[in-house]
Amino acid sequence: MSAAHLVLALSCPDRPGIVHAVSGVLAEHGGNITESQQFGDPSTGLFFMRVQVETQAPRAEVEEAMAALAHTFDMTFRLDDVGRPQRTIIMASKEGHCLSDLLFRQRSQRLPIDPVAVVANHPDLEPIAAFYGVPFHHVPVTRETKDAAEAELLRMVRDLDVELVVLARYMQILSDRLCTELAGNVINIHHSFLPSFKGARPYAQAHNRGVKLIGATAHYVTADLDEGPIIEQDVERVTHTDDVAEMVARGQDVERRVLARAVRWHAEHRVLVDGRRTVVFS
Amino acid sequence: MSAAHLVLALSCPDRPGIVHAVSGVLAEHGGNITESQQFGDPSTGLFFMRVQVETQAPRAEVEEAMAALAHTFDMTFRLDDVGRPQRTIIMASKEGHCLSDLLFRQRSQRLPIDPVAVVANHPDLEPIAAFYGVPFHHVPVTRETKDAAEAELLRMVRDLDVELVVLARYMQILSDRLCTELAGNVINIHHSFLPSFKGARPYAQAHNRGVKLIGATAHYVTADLDEGPIIEQDVERVTHTDDVAEMVARGQDVERRVLARAVRWHAEHRVLVDGRRTVVFS
Amino acid sequence: MSAAHLVLALSCPDRPGIVHAVSGVLAEHGGNITESQQFGDPSTGLFFMRVQVETQAPRAEVEEAMAALAHTFDMTFRLDDVGRPQRTIIMASKEGHCLSDLLFRQRSQRLPIDPVAVVANHPDLEPIAAFYGVPFHHVPVTRETKDAAEAELLRMVRDLDVELVVLARYMQILSDRLCTELAGNVINIHHSFLPSFKGARPYAQAHNRGVKLIGATAHYVTADLDEGPIIEQDVERVTHTDDVAEMVARGQDVERRVLARAVRWHAEHRVLVDGRRTVVFS
Amino acid sequence: MSAAHLVLALSCPDRPGIVHAVSGVLAEHGGNITESQQFGDPSTGLFFMRVQVETQAPRAEVEEAMAALAHTFDMTFRLDDVGRPQRTIIMASKEGHCLSDLLFRQRSQRLPIDPVAVVANHPDLEPIAAFYGVPFHHVPVTRETKDAAEAELLRMVRDLDVELVVLARYMQILSDRLCTELAGNVINIHHSFLPSFKGARPYAQAHNRGVKLIGATAHYVTADLDEGPIIEQDVERVTHTDDVAEMVARGQDVERRVLARAVRWHAEHRVLVDGRRTVVFS
């Protein structure tokens, strides 16, 4: 019987003995730790840990032992196979740079997601989805159809066992109800260095303010618009010669880079929510 | 008679023929252009130019010819010797990293300023000023003494022919009147990536928001707090392991780097104000 | 008659009066300069200039006047319409990240090239070319067929009026003869921060040396392998946890970014060769 | 009795059970792990670990227990108090930017070193050392005096219980014998992005090659010049307008930043040698 390679990600109130207890469970199951990171946040009192372990023991046994431990330590945890692609819906509108980039990376074995559907409120990006062999769903959204559109999305999430929804420059605001329902499983890319330039047309805002760097922010979606926990950010230098159109164009490079990193880290169980912040074991 | 090396920086409403007219004036005075940059901003309709020129002609003659041109083109311009140190007051409070850095760079011939005084509202940094041989003025500021303190600063600016005031982590807000009086000649370093985290304790704000990059912003001071035209910005990566104290410490590197660049570019007449923005011919 | 928007890029031995003479020619043709950059290199004694100008005059007239000036100043120059797509052949092997990225950018109006053909020594990337509607030529290269393959490439360059050849991770070394024939018109992306790690398997070399940053370099191809004038470079941080495979994967992001910038700048006539170096008016 | 805060850094051949054994020792001594990082390098078969732990147990007891474990696992380890300043000699020549920066950071509580002496082969930097209250030793080095100078350095290392020697732009090559004697405890800053531009005048080499980024490299000194394990590197963008003097000046910012990081990480026991590479638990 060949060894499995498991990843364990957990968080719980901080107190002495957690690492020893967890490594004990893994040792009891013949586990060899290949990667491990911990973090205790004094400001929230929470402890976070991510371990990759090779073991001959059945995953169910490890899961059971961890469940007992979780009870003791008031712990939430996930146990998964290292590298298992997460079932993902990608949502987009008309701009294809993020969608195209995610699908290219997935195809190149660089992104452990299984893109089960592309959902868009415009038909423009269908050819990209088709090229990569991903079903494309055109779900237009108007004030009248928004509720129905979200219901359809939720249905797809359930029917397709979707674990992650990525808003790849999807230009619609999700309802509070949807945000709550999918909390922690929706990643958005905002085209500014948050908290600067929330809301609409961030590059126009950035140009107007005369900033010397533009940025992008990948974050979990919450009911509080552009206020969810930040997963990753990056910036790129601009100068006085760059007008809004040039900023938009150059910003796309940052957006797709930042979103791809965030999705990858999430899919590898490297991101743990710590109140308003995230712990990223990258 | 040896050649002078002059720098000319100008702005005016954009229209055809400016470059040709300016290069004509310089050619008439036997000038050889060694460096030249131009920029027309469609959004403000303004044109900006910076030229370095070697010429045997007396500076006064070039100045006179340029003045005539300025009249025709509704132009404002400065003509200076390349590399002439700008007479500068550096203001600080208790944190010495920016002050120390500026003085070290000046001493190392890396910053064309002539630091005629250090003015601080606390006595702590006197030894640094003394080490670099710069007169230190301790001018405490309370609600009661603020007017008198600003009057003393203005008097020093006049008496010492000061051309530039640098707020090197000076933790006092200048009055509107002072801002207006010294407009365009006061550079501040704000310890955040503006427009994020204006006001007090920006690193605490940044930590609270969970950003993944911290930054610093050098800008001209205007009556509108932290809203003046931005000259330079930069960022540094932080992670979940960095608490506020660590952010403060790491931010200091960014602050001094950003401030030093801004002061240098200003002192070399590379920064021109373009409405709320700046043109930086770096 | 509507105005044309022209770009002029030139170089010549440095001496007084060049800028005035060039701006004079443009002024005589009613030209309005919208963008202009100059640089005199003391180490080579050469002068470089790039101007964008709006004019009602026929391009042929401007070209004629510039030709006369070029004679006087021993100048080489190019005059082109701003934004005209350069006829380009992209060469690749099996790795598609650079090819895919270039074609996506071209399609998104972000790269002023007209990709007239993709030439590859392996068939793998045909679907990407097909998706973007670019003719794909599979030209295998062995020791025996190398001469014939290069002859075919040269024929295509001539028949298709090709102005630029981009080696987008094309894993074959061009012959000296081909390098000479196409000098200045072939851009390669090397997957290291040159001059470190020339030759084969640069990421394995980088991992072995334990560097903390990996990089990529876009350069003009010359007969001297990996020694041609550098157009652009960038780096990305790695850590001890990144093995060779991870470096390869992360390096692809840098490679495509660096190559895209270099191709864009070249296509916009922003790159001028200055001996072993380049002047880049970005 | 108040708790001590200890740091443990270790390496050994990789095998199952190390983490559990180490955390077991710490748990037996009532230790609460506040920070922990591990890494197993498949390419060298070595395992690395750094733990910070709060414990009421006497340090000697923990040390004894770890020594027993070290025997079992063929492990080398260091146990120290978190934040204890390492006794350090800083060596320099004429350029003061690195020396000045290190001493300013140390004074500002940002660098856990105890600078017991500055040793320089030129007298120029004496005032900086004096300002920070560090004894300055002028030890000129000529071909004839080199052996004596190194003997004096070794004597100081012994007499002053020196744990770390930092070459802060010290422009002399250490003898093989000295390199061997102090192996793993001497950090040098090389003013290029190694392995590019080894040896003398790296900025002139960089300018000549036309690179678009310049860099600096902090590494452990070995008998093999500029080939020791790299601790940290960083780069800064340059353009065609930057001549060698400007590169030298801008490079100084990178040098001091990179050196300060490397010294800090070393002093915090975050750097472990892994063959030709380093593991940096930053």
Side-chain angles (χ1 to χ4, degrees), chain A residues 7-11 49-51 75-80 268-272 281:
Chain A
V7 53
L8 170 70
L10 61 87
S11 66
M49 188 172 183
R50 182 187 185 277
V51 192
M75 183 187 283
T76 60
F77 76 95
R78 285 169 297 173
L79 187 70
D80 203 348
E268 294 177 349
H269 306 295
R270 296 183 181 278
V271 190
L272 294 153
F281 291 130

Side-chain angles (χ1 to χ4, degrees), chain D residues 120-141:
Chain D
N121 60 330
H122 292 279
D124 311 49
L125 302 177
E126 196 280 335
I128 293 178
F131 177 66
Y132 288 102
V134 181
F136 181 86
H137 301 263
H138 177 208
V139 182
V141 178

Side-chain angles (χ1 to χ4, degrees), chain A residues 1-6 30 32 53-57 81:
Chain A
M1 182 185 170
S2 74
H5 201 178
L6 301 179
N32 183 31
V53 63
E54 287 172 340
T55 175
Q56 304 269 356
D81 295 309

Side-chain angles (χ1 to χ4, degrees), chain C residues 51-73:
Chain C
V51 193
Q52 291 191 184
V53 62
E54 287 173 339
T55 174
Q56 303 270 354
R59 179 171 146 184
E61 276 183 24
V62 181
E63 187 123 27
E64 198 175 338
M66 279 304 303
L69 207 66
H71 188 73
T72 307
F73 284 90

